Amino acid sequence: MPEPSTPAGAPPRDTLPPGASPADAPADAQPGAVEELLALDRRHVWHPYGPMPGRSTPFVVESASGVRLRLAEPVYGHRELVDGMASWWSAVHGYGHPVLDAAAHAQLDRMSHVMFGGLTHEPAVRLAARLAGMTPGDLEHVFLSDSGSVAVEVAVKMCLQHWRSLGRPAKRRLLTWRGGYHGDTWQPMSVCDPEGGMHHLWSGALPRQVFADAPPSGFDAAPDEDYLAHLHETVARHAHELAAVVVEPVVQGAGGMRFHSPAYVRALREACDEHGVLLVLDEIATGFGRTGRLFAAEHAGVTPDVLCLGKALTGGYLSMAATVCTPRVAEGISRGTVPVLAHGPTFMGNPLAAAVAGASLDLLLSGDWQGDVRRIGEGLRTGLAPAAALPGVTEVNVLGAIGVVRLDHEVDVPAATRAAARAGVWLRPFRDAVYVMPPYLTDDEDVARIAAAVCAAAEEG
């Protein structure tokens, strides 16, 4: 998930909140300790999407619990910030959840890791069976990896190898629509937006893919017939060279936080079926309930040939992702002269991550996730409504437990981050959007607080 090109600035650091004494400071935040840590950070740590050495001062997080990040020293009088980002959309159950903690401890007592080549183990087997049972249609073969970007990389490799194994090596390009984001490894970068995205630096080096126009905005908007025709025509024109269409269904996440009609996903499924092209849906961000359906593909009523999952899979505890495909894709690969998928991460199927992922799915499905997502969405609609009247705001949108305030200019990220922190909330705006994806257990009071912080950030940014 990309950060903005301009990192958050360094806010003035309060010593202690009014009325507090030095004894109230956390043990690891005694005079000089945080400064030393930040000096080492600046010298040695390369943060995502940042320069080296760093030019900004990050907040130092000491611990996290529920929906709150506890800071090593106060910022604007706050020792804790409500996390409106769910740690880049992954911590759907919040932090320090006793069920997930217990699953991790129990698995540690058995084994933390074992190679997956030639071996197997219950946590990964149970997780794969669980994913096959809960995903749409006949998605039943599960390849486990360690990050969302790699899950997309594996999906592309599956599609390319499928067609090569069937004697059609010319089908090696990918089609996507503009405005997307699929990760930072090589093939995923090639289907990110080629102009507005961060990967334009690699133009000329990346594989040249086929780009349709960006889908018209609006989840509830009536489908644009001209755009539907454009999708069908683009797939048809390039079908002879296309291995797959790769898109984010319903929500384009880090490419710009835009929502679109499920009708466009259905149109791609129809065009792919008609012209012999595989369909890959990237649900790294939207999977596991974020849009109000368990998977965003369900809004469109379609089953992709390959589905990519990650982020919320382990509840934000450990890095794990999954690429799930249909028998059609797997059988195609199996017919080739090299009948195996040539991919195998060292930490593939990691038992610790798999055990926590299984517990996270149990927790999700045994609870009222739909009610929580609906409740958060209603709170965001109410709380973000005032933002529509702010200067520079072009639209305010909510879908599921996602809220987006869009500006008519690039967000002043340091200023917006400071405004949110003053309101006691952690946000990370990017490009022209101030957005939130809070944990599902965020209560109504904290949802209101997050929404108020978004309004403050939008006004300041």
Side-chain angles (χ1 to χ4, degrees), residues 33 69 100 118 122 146 178 188 195-196 202 217 225 243 349 356 361 371 388 401 424 440 447 458:
L69 307 176
L100 303 188
E122 184 174 5
D146 47 10
R178 293 179 182 272
E195 296 171 2
W202 301 106
S217 295
E225 294 298 328
V356 175
L361 295 180
Y440 298 165
V447 169

Side-chain angles (χ1 to χ4, degrees), residues 179 215 217-218 250-253 255-260 395 404 406 432:
S217 295
V250 177
V251 177
Q252 290 185 294
M257 295 307 302
R258 297 186 182 278
F259 309 152
H260 58 261
E395 61 181 11
V404 184
R406 192 171 310 284
D432 61 351

Side-chain angles (χ1 to χ4, degrees), residues 153-460:
E153 196 85 47
V154 169
V156 171
K157 185 176 285 188
M158 283 179 174
C159 296
L160 293 173
Q161 193 169 343
H162 171 89
W163 292 115
R164 285 177 178 267
S165 295
L166 295 180
R168 303 190 65 184
K171 289 174 73 66
R172 63 177 182 269
R173 296 184 75 187
L174 307 172
L175 183 148
T176 188
W177 45 35
R178 293 179 182 272
Y181 172 82
H182 299 279
D184 298 339
T185 54
W186 203 244
Q187 289 283 5
M189 281 200 299
S190 75
V191 284
C192 293
D193 191 280
E195 296 171 2
M198 74 184 75
H199 298 313
H200 60 83
L201 172 67
W202 301 106
S203 177
L206 289 170
R208 294 188 56 164
Q209 311 296 10
V210 179
F211 287 88
D213 295 342
S217 295
F219 176 80
D220 294 318
D224 184 313
E225 294 298 328
D226 289 338
Y227 185 74
L228 290 171
H230 166 68
L231 289 180
H232 278 277
E233 189 277 331
T234 306
V235 173
R237 178 158 35 97
H238 293 277
H240 66 284
E241 60 179 343
L242 290 180
V245 171
V246 183
V247 297
E248 301 157 282
V250 177
V251 177
Q252 290 185 294
M257 295 307 302
R258 297 186 182 278
F259 309 152
H260 58 261
S261 169
Y264 304 134
V265 182
R266 286 195 293 274
L268 286 175
R269 177 72 276 177
E270 292 165 3
C272 286
D273 288 343
E274 182 178 350
H275 298 287
V277 178
L278 298 175
L279 177 63
V280 177
L281 294 185
D282 175 356
E283 294 221 31
I284 306 298
T286 54
F288 308 110
R290 179 58 70 175
T291 67
R293 302 295 293 267
L294 198 55
F295 300 100
E298 295 175 11
H299 289 289
V302 304
T303 298
D305 299 291
V306 186
L307 179 68
C308 300
L309 302 171
K311 287 193 181 294
L313 177 59
T314 70
Y317 268 56
L318 293 153
S319 184
M320 177 172 258
T323 306
V324 192
C325 75
T326 63
R328 172 194 175 191
V329 175
E331 289 166 6
I333 293 171
S334 297
R335 293 176 194 167
T337 54
V338 180
V340 299
L341 181 64
H343 204 92
T346 299
F347 288 95
M348 180 178 179
N350 174 258
L352 185 57
V356 175
S360 178
L361 295 180
D362 287 341
L363 194 59
L364 181 71
L365 298 179
S366 65
D368 184 18
W369 67 267
Q370 289 175 306
D372 286 334
V373 168
R374 189 181 309 113
R375 173 182 55 78
I376 290 170
E378 291 170 355
L380 290 176
R381 284 186 185 88
T382 300
L384 296 179
L390 294 175
V393 171
T394 60
E395 61 181 11
V396 178
N397 289 313
V398 175
L399 177 65
I402 309 169
V404 184
V405 173
R406 192 171 310 284
L407 308 180
D408 62 6
H409 57 274
E410 292 282 314
V411 178
D412 181 339
V413 177
T417 303
R418 288 194 295 269
R422 281 195 294 269
V425 173
W426 170 246
L427 297 178
R428 192 64 172 173
F430 73 104
R431 294 177 65 175
D432 61 351
V434 184
Y435 77 98
V436 293
M437 285 193 180
Y440 298 165
L441 51 70
T442 307
D443 65 24
D444 293 345
E445 183 178 349
D446 282 334
V447 169
R449 181 177 228 179
I450 289 169
V454 171
C455 293
E459 185 171 22
E460 191 71 23

Side-chain angles (χ1 to χ4, degrees), residues 28 30 52 314:
D28 64 347
Q30 296 305 310
M52 176 50 68
T314 70

